[in-house]
Amino acid sequence: MSLTAAGFSLDEETRITIERKFKEKEQLASARKTELFSVFEEELSEEERMALKFLYAYMPLNDLADYEGSLFLSHVRKTLEIRREMPWGNRVPDHLFLHFVLPYRVNNENIEDSRGILFDELYSRVKHLSMEDAILETNHWCYEKATYIGNDPRTVSPLTLIRTTLGRCGEESTLAVAALRSLCIPARQCYTPRWAHSDSNHAWVEAWADGSWHFIGACEPEPRLNEGWFSGPARRAMLINTRVPSQYPGPESITLAHEWYTEINLLDGYAPSRNIVVRIRDSEGQPVSGAAVSFQVYNFAEFTPIAKLTTDARGEVSLTTGFGDLLVRAVEGSRWGESKLSVSEQDAFTITIDEYEQQDGIVEFDMVPPPELPADEASAATEEVLQQHRNRLQQGAAIRKSFEDTFVSESRAGELAVDLDLPAERVWQVLRKARGNSHEIAAFLQEQTETYGEWPLRLLESLNEKDLTDTFRPALVDHLKGSLQYADLYDVELFSRYVLCPRVLFEMIGPYKLFFQETLLAKDIADYRQAPFGLVRHLLEKFEVVEDMTYYQGSAMPTGSYRLLKGDRISRDILFVALCRSIGIPARLHPSERKPQYWMNAVWHDACFEQVSMLTPSARIGEVLVKRDPEAPAEAEEAAYFRNFSFARLENGWYQSLFYPHGQTNVYDQPFELEAGSYRMTAGTRLKDGSVLVRFTYFAVLEGMQAELPLSFRYPVTEVPVIGEVDSAWRFTRRNGTHASMDELTRGRNAVLAWIEPEREPSKHLLREIKELASGYDALGMPIILAVGEAGWTASFDPAAYIDFPSDVTFVHDGDLVIHQAGGNLPGSDTGSLPFVLVVDSEGRIRYVSAGYKLGIGREVLQTGTRLSQQK
């Protein structure tokens, strides 16, 4: 039975569910009843009331902790107003409006009252367009505001991304979804939890127009819908999904129907897929119901879950996935089982869970991703359309560049440093990172340095780079003034990192130190400083851990967690660290374990919420020395953490990765301190086709003991084939306008020739890798020629900005479309997918080719160059 409930067409069961869940949230958040629920005492239309209840019913716990009802009411009223204003508003079904227009959150970004701001920016540009054209125009607007850069996993808000102009794909897609929803266009963020054929992942956007969903690359406009550089990689995905904050009924395939959110599987729209069934059996062959089953892919040297399901009464789970390999682990109670599944070979599998202790020794196997597939045939856009598109890209880049020109400049930073008697380079570094927030950061330094000397600068330097873009003076002043009374108690480094610094993990930074100092009684502060375990007791008594109501763990701010006195475990741990720092106790989350710790008597102590004692020293510790493989070939890739190896500890049947710095290379003969326990080291060699040669090494860490652990990889037997030849007639244009042949550019050496799109994410990954491997390229003396076509030669492209690259890098303009000639010499090479990379030997023969998105191209090219140099 369907009926109109408060302005929305909802069936009776859905309406009752919303009411029930709203009541649950009202009771759960009773500690903030006035701040959250007093808005329901205002004069509301029935439509507003139901929309608000829908949001509250499925609201994650951290939002109940951090925000107030007035924000959500403002959001609802503006969204309903926009629906009435837009010409297609009445064509958007209620089902799509509630799930993909009304929601205020996209990812784990900070929530701001931005819907009206985005609408005002976009309305005049789209009001006379069709829905499809409005999607395209909105993405052009997003491109004017932001472009890609890799950064940390905290997602900044749409307004912060606009202010900084740089963000990772998750932030670009958050902006694009928010912008589309502000126009009453249903939109959702889609993502691969992890690629199978390459490291990293990707996020993009689907938008609905008059009956159909279409995909776009966020902040990466194309002339038409359903185009993007990632469409090729997506054909090799094992899962593509999105999360909907409700009990969403479909019609899409549902991966996970959680009580508070739904994960829907969108893979069928992008890649060949197969529905597989995994049966979990015990040692006697009987079905095991209620077992947790984790489907994992190899990515960044660890096995990462792309889906985690629970077996039904028949002991079964099912998943729609791609035609590649998965490592599947099942755990029930204290027993587990694990198996590699090859989806390309069959669709039904059985895993026996009969393991209780970690195995010994080494296990080797291959992980094979879905095969590379040819692009779908599509009618080519006319040259006129393509030229118009290129012109729009030039205009968009110029608009963004003009805004970036308003940031505090290096010369202005130098003047400020002189005025404040601070080191010029240090001042410039914090202002450079702050980008569109640089004027705010500069004002903080101007206002506080005279009184507090170098401490305001040290506070800024303690933050992550991204923090400088969305942390404002009230928060900075709070942490400065709330900390300095303890500055003389510790050395500068310990104080700066673990008392002064407000950043704990990936939560939004706000003021909290003065709040906690005023909230805790003075006598309690003195007691807690003498015995910090008292804070552990305090939180154990007052704070309720609720794990399953927040799908982005650790997102709540400390003050919100304290006011609500509920949250997930990570948010509680962040709160503990914040409380300690607020009263002058150095505290942190352990850098690899992420367990809360406090500093006392010159030792880090675990804040053990499971067992509180007078002193809880850090867990039993042993050491591991990683030893170099003496048989590694010369061209072998350098060992780097989370690039080709990682550690994971066995906890309750699951292997949990340890968080050492990504890319850390000083790993040999440096003791790793690990808790006593069982561990697995994963070492992987990624091959050019995306397959991985995996080696598991199982080992134990004993308290007080040091063990040696050989780190060895499986090395493929590879030759460097001759794939084709370059044409001596190929000519490019240098930056000064002169022409150069291949012979002039390579100078008779082994060389790299790569066509790039500087504004696009795939090319930016390649450029980053080349920069990181600069010393290796310099050691080989390989010239690197980076060719940019017409579309990439935009106003924001400045070759001089590419610093710290190998010494022999030349940017050239490919105005003669040499790339098409190169592709013609290499059958099957897709020159339409950039970066298009060749390695050319000293005789002009092509020995390596790669087309399109993939992480690791820079390392493959370096390895090819190394092998060529050894053949001389």
Side-chain angles (χ1 to χ4, degrees):
M1 169 180 157
S2 180
L3 56 97
T4 299
F8 299 106
S9 298
L10 301 172
D11 61 70
E12 180 70 10
E13 183 180 355
T14 299
R15 187 184 65 79
I16 292 173
T17 299
I18 292 171
E19 289 288 346
R20 175 176 58 81
K21 289 185 173 295
F22 172 76
K23 292 295 184 184
E24 288 182 45
K25 290 294 178 62
E26 194 173 28
Q27 182 177 1
L28 190 71
S30 59
R32 301 195 67 223
K33 180 177 181 180
T34 300
E35 296 91 336
L36 288 166
F37 298 99
S38 61
V39 292
F40 288 93
E41 299 171 7
E42 297 188 26
E43 185 175 342
L44 304 175
S45 70
E46 285 304 303
E47 190 178 39
E48 290 171 345
R49 187 174 297 276
M50 179 53 73
L52 260 181
K53 285 187 174 182
F54 179 84
L55 292 181
Y56 275 78
Y58 295 103
M59 189 175 292
L61 196 60
N62 54 291
D63 290 351
L64 292 169
D66 286 343
Y67 304 106
E68 298 190 355
S70 57
L71 172 65
F72 303 121
L73 177 58
S74 174
H75 173 87
V76 163
R77 283 177 167 163
K78 177 54 68 172
T79 301
L80 294 174
E81 176 187 327
I82 291 169
R83 189 183 194 186
R84 292 187 290 268
E85 182 76 17
M86 298 309 298
W88 50 74
N90 61 358
R91 304 204 303 270
V92 175
D94 286 350
H95 167 72
L96 294 179
F97 178 83
L98 285 171
H99 295 99
F100 301 112
V101 175
L102 180 63
Y104 56 87
R105 175 176 290 289
V106 180
N107 200 286
N108 63 345
E109 74 276 17
N110 180 46
I111 303 304
E112 299 168 322
D113 196 4
S114 62
R115 184 143 295 184
I117 295 171
L118 299 177
F119 173 81
D120 291 342
E121 285 262 340
L122 286 160
Y123 177 66
S124 63
R125 294 174 61 152
V126 305
K127 63 181 179 180
H128 298 305
L129 300 178
S130 67
M131 286 189 81
E132 290 189 3
D133 286 341
I135 295 168
L136 293 171
E137 182 63 25
T138 300
N139 206 21
H140 273 289
W141 177 85
C142 291
Y143 176 69
E144 295 168 11
K145 302 301 180 185
T147 189
Y148 176 82
I149 189 174
N151 54 33
D152 73 48
R154 181 171 71 87
T155 302
V156 300
S157 71
L159 297 185
T160 295
L161 184 58
I162 291 171
R163 187 166 54 248
T164 61
T165 76
L166 293 176
R168 58 181 174 81
C169 58
E171 293 165 325
E172 291 179 302
S173 52
T174 295
L175 169 63
V177 169
L180 289 163
R181 288 178 178 176
S182 78
L183 297 170
C184 197
I185 296 175
R188 57 197 184 193
Q189 182 185 60
C190 309
Y191 53 95
T192 56
R194 288 289 188 268
W195 296 117
H197 72 284
S198 173
D199 294 318
S200 193
N201 62 355
H202 188 54
W204 60 91
V205 172
E206 285 189 349
W208 183 90
D210 294 321
S212 300
W213 286 97
H214 307 272
F215 71 79
I216 58 173
C219 304
E220 296 178 326
E222 298 285 355
R224 297 173 298 192
L225 298 174
N226 301 319
E227 293 183 355
W229 64 260
F230 54 87
S231 59
R235 288 191 288 274
R236 306 184 72 183
M238 295 299 287
L239 182 71
I240 293 171
N241 64 352
T242 191
R243 184 172 284 155
V244 187
S246 71
Q247 289 180 293
Y248 179 69
E252 299 88 346
S253 172
I254 293 176
T255 302
L256 177 63
H258 192 276
E259 184 179 4
W260 301 102
Y261 59 88
T262 306
E263 291 184 357
I264 57 177
N265 192 341
L266 307 173
L267 184 64
D268 283 342
Y270 295 89
S273 62
R274 166 176 278 174
N275 186 260
I276 63 171
V277 175
V278 179
R279 304 182 182 95
I280 308 302
R281 299 292 183 260
D282 63 19
S283 58
E284 297 179 354
Q286 296 301 307
V288 180
S289 64
V293 182
S294 177
F295 296 82
Q296 303 171 9
V297 297
Y298 176 95
N299 194 282
F300 277 138
E302 65 173 341
F303 279 86
T304 304
I306 60 171
K308 196 169 183 178
L309 307 177
T310 303
T311 54
D312 59 20
R314 299 187 303 274
E316 296 180 358
V317 292
S318 64
L319 179 72
T320 298
T321 187
F323 284 81
D325 291 351
L326 291 166
L327 185 68
V328 179
R329 189 172 184 87
V331 176
E332 194 276 329
S334 59
R335 53 183 175 167
W336 65 82
E338 185 175 79
S339 180
K340 191 198 86 166
L341 312 183
S342 295
V343 179
S344 61
E345 298 176 0
Q346 62 191 83
D347 59 8
F349 306 87
T350 299
I351 296 177
T352 301
I353 56 172
D354 56 0
E355 300 291 333
Y356 294 88
E357 294 182 356
Q358 176 175 274
Q359 64 190 94
D360 296 323
I362 293 175
V363 174
E364 297 179 345
F365 56 95
D366 299 350
M367 291 294 292
V368 179
E372 189 169 6
L373 300 174
D376 296 332
E377 292 292 332
S379 58
T382 65
E383 181 56 34
E384 179 183 4
V385 170
L386 290 175
Q387 187 56 49
Q388 290 175 349
H389 181 67
R390 286 193 288 267
N391 291 341
R392 288 295 306 275
L393 293 180
Q394 292 274 4
Q395 294 166 7
I399 290 170
R400 182 169 7 99
K401 178 65 164 55
S402 67
F403 174 64
E404 291 174 336
D405 288 342
T406 68
F407 299 171
V408 172
S409 66
E410 186 172 5
S411 60
R412 174 63 190 124
E415 294 169 0
L416 180 64
V418 171
D419 292 342
L420 300 177
D421 194 24
L422 293 172
E425 178 60 25
R426 290 170 61 191
V427 171
W428 168 234
Q429 285 305 312
V430 296
L431 294 176
R432 178 185 63 81
K433 295 171 183 176
R435 298 184 64 77
N437 199 38
S438 54
H439 296 283
E440 177 79 0
I441 298 300
F444 169 71
L445 286 173
Q446 287 176 308
E447 293 169 1
Q448 303 300 326
T449 299
E450 181 178 355
T451 303
Y452 298 105
E454 198 175 273
W455 285 116
L457 180 58
R458 286 189 176 276
L459 170 59
L460 296 172
E461 290 173 331
S462 76
L463 302 175
N464 293 343
E465 183 168 340
K466 188 180 289 185
D467 298 334
L468 294 167
T469 68
D470 62 357
T471 305
F472 307 111
R473 275 175 283 179
L476 293 170
V477 170
D478 172 89
H479 291 286
L480 181 68
K481 295 183 177 180
S483 302
L484 288 184
Q485 59 184 302
Y486 305 110
D488 294 336
L489 301 179
Y490 310 101
D491 67 69
V492 171
E493 179 68 14
L494 182 69
F495 172 77
S496 298
R497 293 184 64 185
Y498 302 119
V499 177
L500 178 66
C501 179
R503 160 66 57 223
V504 180
L505 189 59
F506 297 124
E507 75 287 358
M508 180 68 183
I509 289 179
Y512 63 73
K513 285 186 176 143
L514 297 178
F515 168 79
F516 287 136
Q517 290 171 10
E518 294 168 359
T519 302
L520 300 173
L521 296 177
K523 70 175 185 65
D524 292 332
I525 292 177
D527 291 342
Y528 293 151
R529 284 186 47 75
Q530 288 295 317
F533 62 85
L535 276 175
V536 178
R537 284 205 184 100
H538 178 70
L539 291 181
L540 276 172
E541 293 172 1
K542 302 291 185 180
F543 192 93
E544 179 184 354
V545 174
V546 182
E547 290 285 17
D548 63 346
M549 289 189 179
T550 301
Y551 39 85
Y552 294 112
Q553 299 284 299
S555 294
M557 290 187 279
T559 51
S561 294
Y562 194 80
R563 290 184 176 116
L564 190 64
L565 288 175
K566 293 182 178 68
D568 59 84
R569 182 189 58 79
I570 299 176
S571 292
R572 179 206 62 194
D573 294 348
I574 291 170
L575 171 59
F576 172 80
V577 172
L579 283 166
C580 285
R581 292 182 183 179
S582 297
I583 60 175
I585 303 169
R588 67 179 187 179
L589 296 185
H590 187 279
S592 65
E593 309 286 343
R594 290 187 176 172
K595 297 190 300 186
Q597 295 184 315
Y598 58 88
W599 180 263
M600 187 176 181
N601 299 330
V603 175
W604 286 110
H605 297 266
D606 290 340
C608 291
F609 285 92
E610 293 75 22
Q611 181 180 1
V612 184
S613 60
M614 290 296 292
L615 279 179
T616 310
S618 294
R620 298 172 300 123
I621 296 297
E623 289 187 346
V624 168
L625 280 181
V626 176
K627 307 300 289 185
R628 190 184 303 270
D629 181 5
E631 299 181 3
E635 72 273 15
E637 182 183 353
E638 181 181 32
Y641 199 82
F642 275 154
R643 186 179 295 160
N644 53 21
F645 88 99
S646 68
F647 297 133
R649 184 174 62 250
L650 183 62
E651 294 181 358
N652 301 317
W654 301 105
Y655 279 100
Q656 307 291 342
S657 293
L658 305 187
F659 295 94
Y660 294 103
H662 185 101
Q664 177 181 338
T665 56
N666 59 329
V667 299
Y668 293 117
D669 299 316
Q670 303 290 326
F672 285 84
E673 290 190 356
L674 303 177
E675 289 187 15
S678 298
Y679 288 82
R680 182 178 75 189
M681 179 171 66
T682 300
T685 303
R686 177 82 72 176
L687 304 184
K688 189 172 182 297
D689 68 356
S691 299
V692 183
L693 307 180
V694 179
R695 173 173 288 158
F696 281 160
T697 301
Y698 295 93
F699 64 99
V701 174
L702 303 178
E703 181 181 4
M705 304 293 289
Q706 185 180 87
E708 292 188 355
L709 183 68
L711 172 56
S712 60
F713 298 89
R714 297 171 61 201
Y715 303 107
V717 178
T718 58
E719 298 181 356
V720 187
V722 176
I723 303 171
E725 294 188 2
V726 301
D727 190 331
S728 59
W730 293 356
R731 298 178 69 81
F732 301 91
T733 304
R734 291 191 175 97
R735 291 170 57 196
N736 61 8
T738 62
H739 296 287
S741 67
M742 277 294 293
D743 288 343
E744 292 172 311
L745 291 168
T746 63
R747 306 188 303 281
R749 300 180 182 179
N750 300 327
V752 183
L753 173 59
W755 282 267
I756 62 172
E757 295 173 291
E759 289 284 304
R760 292 279 189 128
E761 180 177 340
S763 294
K764 289 186 177 184
H765 283 304
L766 173 63
L767 293 171
R768 175 182 54 77
E769 291 173 5
I770 290 174
K771 180 177 178 179
E772 291 174 349
L773 298 167
S775 61
Y777 282 105
D778 284 339
L780 290 177
M782 290 182 73
I784 301 174
I785 301 104
L786 299 175
V788 181
E790 295 293 339
W793 214 262
T794 64
S796 62
F797 172 57
D798 179 12
Y802 293 85
I803 58 175
D804 299 327
F805 271 63
S807 56
D808 198 350
V809 171
T810 304
F811 284 92
V812 295
H813 184 196
D814 183 15
D816 295 335
L817 299 179
V818 172
I819 188 172
H820 296 318
Q821 302 172 49
N825 290 347
L826 302 168
S829 293
D830 182 9
T831 58
S833 297
L834 301 186
F836 183 61
V837 185
L838 307 178
V839 174
V840 180
D841 68 18
S842 57
E843 299 177 30
R845 298 174 299 181
I846 298 171
R847 311 298 291 273
Y848 170 95
V849 61
S850 177
Y853 167 85
K854 184 177 70 170
L855 266 66
I857 297 173
R859 295 194 295 276
E860 291 179 357
V861 167
L862 183 61
Q863 290 167 350
T864 302
T866 301
R867 289 196 289 269
L868 290 175
S869 70
Q870 294 169 346
Q871 294 177 4
K872 291 186 177 181

